[in-house]
Amino acid sequence: MSVKFTAVEIISAKRDKQELSDDQIDWTIEAYTKGIIADEQMSALLMAILLNGMNNREIFRWTDAMITSGEKMNWSMLDRPTVDKHSTGGVGDKITLPLAPLVAACGAAVPQLSGRGLGHTGGTLDKLESIKGWKASISNQEMLKVIQECGAVICAAGSGLAPADKKLYALRDVTGTVQAIPLIASSIMSKKIAEGTQALILDVKTGSGAFMSDPKDAGLLARTMVDLGKRAGVETRALVTAMDVPLGLTVGNSLEIRETIEVLSGGGPSDVVELTLILANEMLDAAKVKPKVDPATALKNGAAMDVWRRMIKAQGGDLSAPLPIAREKFEVKAATSGKLLTLDALKVGVSAWRLGAGRQKQGDTLQLGAGIEIHAKPGDLVKEGQSILTLHSDETSRFDRANEALSEAFTIGLENQKINRLPLIIERIEG
Ligand code: URA
């Protein structure tokens, strides 16, 4: 590639709060992907972007350059419209698992490229790997076959998709530069646009357990991503949703698969069912699919469960094999009777992580049965001595650190006290 610029002049420009030109951005992404810009130079540039920001033109160009760094998938051979959903990550957020088969059962095609756990937040692929034999990495040909046969596929993004993001993401993770709106928006949208979906629903989490804890920042991130999708011709909408309290009653890989199966069997926790149905209706509407059967019925009558079974089997998963169960348990009990007022998503997420549900560093092996069962949510009445949380781990030695993370994770007040929590849906943004 041509030596148009030097990394130092680009870093200095952003350090001095200047706008980067289209040419500078294209060169930077290509040079970094090819190893011409070194990690230490890109680290400095990422920190300058985090501190000094980017305007919309710069974000659009940065995203386009990341898309151009790899292949673009194409689903035009399918006989139905494609739609995907992406969550920015949370605690107990297993929504993708019942949602993808549900939307497929209602008539859309769902090509869902998912990720692994990051920090205290869980990853869809890690959860699915607690099913014996299930394979996350499949070729583009296999992906097409699964979606043609089942209507939905959940798998890892291949190495050819937005390779610039793979390098940038790993670097951001270890340089304290994850939490920058231009970098999060371009990272997510480059992958989703390259994935080739026609419509996209973004679930932007906010609250203690989300990367964007302030709802205003989450709204700005959501608008930036909706604009990026619109520019690329993808019908994109975003919901800003609550992540101040964990979603559902389980946090941890196999525990969340168990809860997913409950939801697909027509039961499960009300918040998981409600958010799954809201997102399913948004996805079908964005894809302009008039469902033959409405999503609530497809959850109750087994149609979504049928797609789930076929989809898991197509990737080698054996649903008749028992799910991993952790060897040890520890009960966290209520010190007094009253109303549960709060349950902090971040503290529960960090505790589950320390129990072995998440990685401390890249490549760590997970304890697939580790995690937390939640027995009471804010608003519930509890009795002194009642178990509020059950901690699961293969090693009792992990319970002390997991318990430390739970200090003040929940509060119990008087029965007549009001609870103060975020509404499930905070904002809806349409392009
Ligand atoms: N998920 C991504 O894919 N990228 C980010 O930057 C944050 C969450």
Side-chain angles (χ1 to χ4, degrees), residues 13-243:
K14 207 21 104 183
R15 179 199 63 201
D16 297 341
K17 301 190 172 69
Q18 289 166 22
E19 271 187 42
L20 300 181
S21 70
D22 289 352
D23 263 4
Q24 283 178 317
I25 290 173
D26 293 349
W27 181 82
T28 300
I29 295 291
E30 194 185 346
Y32 182 57
T33 310
K34 291 188 168 154
I36 294 166
I37 295 182
D39 279 348
E40 57 270 25
Q41 293 175 310
M42 187 49 103
S43 305
L45 178 59
L46 293 173
M47 187 56 83
I49 292 171
L50 182 135
L51 296 173
N52 295 331
M54 275 180 156
N55 64 23
N56 278 350
R57 183 198 51 78
E58 290 174 291
I59 299 175
F60 293 156
R61 193 69 181 205
W62 186 272
T63 308
D64 283 348
M66 297 223 290
I67 298 168
T68 310
S69 73
E71 63 175 321
K72 192 149 187 244
M73 299 183 84
N74 176 2
W75 301 104
S76 58
M77 69 295 275
L78 296 178
D79 58 0
R80 33 183 169 158
T82 48
V83 59
D84 191 8
K85 94 94 193 180
H86 182 87
S87 159
T88 53
V91 178
D93 183 1
K94 72 275 298 167
I95 301 292
T96 292
L97 298 168
L99 183 64
L102 173 61
V103 172
C106 294
V110 188
Q112 171 85 54
L113 297 177
S114 293
R116 301 204 172 268
L118 184 67
H120 67 277
T121 67
T124 300
L125 301 179
D126 295 330
K127 294 171 198 181
L128 283 165
E129 277 176 353
S130 54
I131 301 171
K132 187 171 169 239
W134 187 84
K135 225 171 37 172
S137 294
I138 56 177
S139 67
N140 289 358
Q141 262 326 96
E142 286 171 310
M143 197 178 165
L144 178 62
K145 189 160 175 275
V146 180
I147 204 167
Q148 276 171 330
E149 284 170 7
C150 310
V153 59
I154 304 177
C155 60
S159 56
L161 199 101
D165 180 63
K166 288 200 178 64
K167 275 191 87 176
L168 280 171
Y169 198 87
L171 192 62
R172 287 167 58 212
D173 203 20
V174 294
T175 54
T177 52
V178 171
Q179 268 94 337
I181 288 177
L183 300 178
I184 298 178
S186 56
S187 164
I188 291 175
M189 292 307 290
S190 62
K191 286 175 287 200
K192 292 290 149 181
I193 295 167
E195 173 195 278
T197 185
Q198 288 164 320
L200 175 66
I201 304 299
L202 297 159
D203 181 3
V204 181
K205 299 286 184 205
T206 189
S208 73
F211 288 121
M212 291 282 134
S213 52
D214 181 341
K216 277 208 255 15
D217 291 339
L220 183 58
L221 172 63
R223 268 184 288 282
T224 307
M225 291 197 288
V226 168
D227 285 350
L228 280 167
K230 209 168 115 194
R231 260 184 85 256
V234 180
E235 174 66 38
T236 310
R237 300 173 191 176
L239 297 179
V240 178
T241 71
M243 187 34 73

Side-chain angles (χ1 to χ4, degrees), residues 364-401:
D364 275 359
T365 311
L366 298 177
Q367 291 186 20
L368 292 169
I372 298 182
E373 270 180 287
I374 298 165
H375 305 296
K377 296 285 283 266
D380 290 348
L381 297 181
V382 297
K383 290 237 170 325
E384 182 184 337
Q386 173 191 330
S387 181
I388 304 292
L389 305 170
T390 305
L391 313 189
H392 295 251
S393 180
D394 289 337
E395 297 151 301
T396 48
S397 58
R398 289 187 179 250
F399 288 138
D400 280 353
R401 294 250 307 136

Side-chain angles (χ1 to χ4, degrees), residues 145-364:
K145 189 160 175 275
V146 180
I147 204 167
Q148 276 171 330
E149 284 170 7
C150 310
V153 59
I154 304 177
C155 60
S159 56
L161 199 101
D165 180 63
K166 288 200 178 64
K167 275 191 87 176
L168 280 171
Y169 198 87
L171 192 62
R172 287 167 58 212
D173 203 20
V174 294
T175 54
T177 52
V178 171
Q179 268 94 337
I181 288 177
L183 300 178
I184 298 178
S186 56
S187 164
I188 291 175
M189 292 307 290
S190 62
K191 286 175 287 200
K192 292 290 149 181
I193 295 167
E195 173 195 278
T197 185
Q198 288 164 320
L200 175 66
I201 304 299
L202 297 159
D203 181 3
V204 181
K205 299 286 184 205
T206 189
S208 73
F211 288 121
M212 291 282 134
S213 52
D214 181 341
K216 277 208 255 15
D217 291 339
L220 183 58
L221 172 63
R223 268 184 288 282
T224 307
M225 291 197 288
V226 168
D227 285 350
L228 280 167
K230 209 168 115 194
R231 260 184 85 256
V234 180
E235 174 66 38
T236 310
R237 300 173 191 176
L239 297 179
V240 178
T241 71
M243 187 34 73
D244 52 340
V245 172
L247 257 174
L249 297 174
T250 56
V251 179
N253 299 298
S254 70
L255 292 168
E256 293 192 44
I257 293 289
R258 194 185 75 193
E259 192 168 282
T260 298
I261 293 171
E262 284 165 18
V263 172
L264 289 165
S265 306
S270 57
D271 56 349
V272 176
V273 175
E274 188 183 346
L275 188 54
T276 303
L277 291 177
I278 290 171
L279 289 167
N281 282 309
E282 284 286 355
M283 287 170 76
L284 293 165
D285 187 61
K288 299 186 180 55
V289 170
K290 293 264 166 295
K292 290 171 257 134
V293 43
D294 75 285
T297 308
L299 264 193
K300 292 270 176 223
N301 72 7
M305 175 67 104
D306 185 47
V307 176
W308 161 262
R309 288 206 182 102
R310 286 189 282 125
M311 187 181 86
I312 297 298
K313 191 158 173 252
Q315 279 164 254
D318 177 3
L319 283 166
S320 66
L323 289 167
I325 297 175
R327 279 193 294 273
E328 310 291 343
K329 282 187 196 175
F330 182 92
E331 304 297 336
V332 180
K333 296 185 176 166
T336 53
S337 297
K339 187 191 272 182
L340 192 74
L341 299 178
T342 59
L343 179 62
D344 186 83
L346 177 62
K347 291 183 176 179
V348 173
V350 170
S351 179
W353 188 17
R354 291 183 181 178
L355 288 165
R359 297 176 183 79
Q360 298 301 324
K361 57 180 181 341
Q362 273 190 3
D364 275 359

